Amino acid sequence: MSASGTKNKRSELALAALASGDEEQVLEALQRIGTHGDSRSIAPLLHAWVAHPAGEVRERITRMLHQVKAADSLSSLLEALDDDRLLPARDLILSSIWSAGLDAREHLDRFVDLAISGSDATLFECLTIVENQEIWPEQAVRRGQKRLAKELNGSATPYREALLRSMHDALAERLGSVTN
């Protein structure tokens, strides 16, 4: 077997071990994935995170995802947002995007959708993405501002309204049109 074939086999075994109920086996798999993993590891890592509601497994997966730099990792994280089984990990997925410094500029509409439809925690993570992404396409910013302004006129809690206003204002700053 070639060196790349051996590496792929090790990676596949590590990914399979993530589904194990044995915490020690999962922790060993996490170590191998940290060394040999790629973007294909993201969904299995998220499933393991959901399966382990507390403890070292969850903490290590969170640290790994917050530092993910593998090619195509943004696509894998965005795909994971569509997996209903990973709904408990939605905020982790979003925080991983901004923590890892991934370039998400082409996905502003999606973050605005999630901010409006999601929980306050999801809205907070989307706001953080908006604040940390240096460049957003102008048309997407304008669409996002309109949608957020409309949502501000709804019956949100004061906390949610403050988050929505912060997101709206962060987008307005990108256009140089913040009003007091």
Side-chain angles (χ1 to χ4, degrees):
M1 186 179 286
S2 71
S4 65
T6 301
K7 180 182 173 187
N8 286 341
K9 186 70 169 168
R10 276 188 292 206
S11 187
E12 289 172 21
L13 290 172
L15 292 175
L18 285 179
S20 137
D22 180 345
E23 188 168 327
E24 286 303 314
Q25 206 174 9
V26 173
L27 289 171
E28 286 177 29
L30 290 175
Q31 188 169 351
R32 287 193 305 267
I33 291 167
T35 303
H36 302 290
D38 57 25
S39 65
R40 293 173 297 172
S41 305
I42 290 174
L45 284 168
L46 289 164
H47 285 286
W49 186 90
V50 169
H52 294 271
E56 188 176 352
V57 168
R58 189 170 260 209
E59 290 171 19
R60 287 193 42 201
I61 291 170
T62 298
R63 282 194 309 268
M64 289 172 75
L65 290 173
H66 281 177
Q67 299 173 7
V68 68
K69 297 292 184 197
D72 207 30
S73 56
L74 179 63
S75 295
S76 296
L77 288 165
L78 292 172
E79 283 178 27
L81 287 171
D82 295 329
D83 187 337
D84 291 339
R85 297 168 299 167
L86 295 175
L87 189 57
R90 176 170 281 170
D91 297 336
L92 170 63
I93 296 165
L94 293 167
S95 68
S96 296
I97 292 169
W98 67 261
S99 289
L102 301 176
D103 182 356
R105 78 179 82 184
E106 298 303 320
H107 304 282
L108 179 60
D109 290 328
R110 183 144 191 212
F111 300 128
V112 170
D113 288 343
L114 289 167
I116 290 170
S117 67
S119 68
D120 289 351
T122 299
L123 169 54
F124 180 79
E125 296 300 342
C126 291
L127 168 60
T128 306
I129 290 170
V130 166
E131 291 175 334
N132 284 285
Q133 178 70 46
E134 289 188 30
I135 300 170
W136 292 110
E138 182 179 346
Q139 292 304 323
V141 169
R142 292 188 188 286
R143 282 191 306 274
Q145 278 187 292
K146 285 179 186 174
R147 294 192 57 220
L148 291 164
K150 193 180 297 185
E151 196 65 25
L152 280 167
N153 294 328
S155 58
T157 65
Y159 177 69
R160 186 166 183 81
E161 185 174 335
L163 290 174
L164 288 166
R165 181 157 311 284
S166 292
M167 191 168 182
H168 178 274
D169 291 349
L171 291 174
E173 285 177 16
R174 300 304 168 96
L175 297 175
S177 60
V178 173
T179 58
N180 293 328

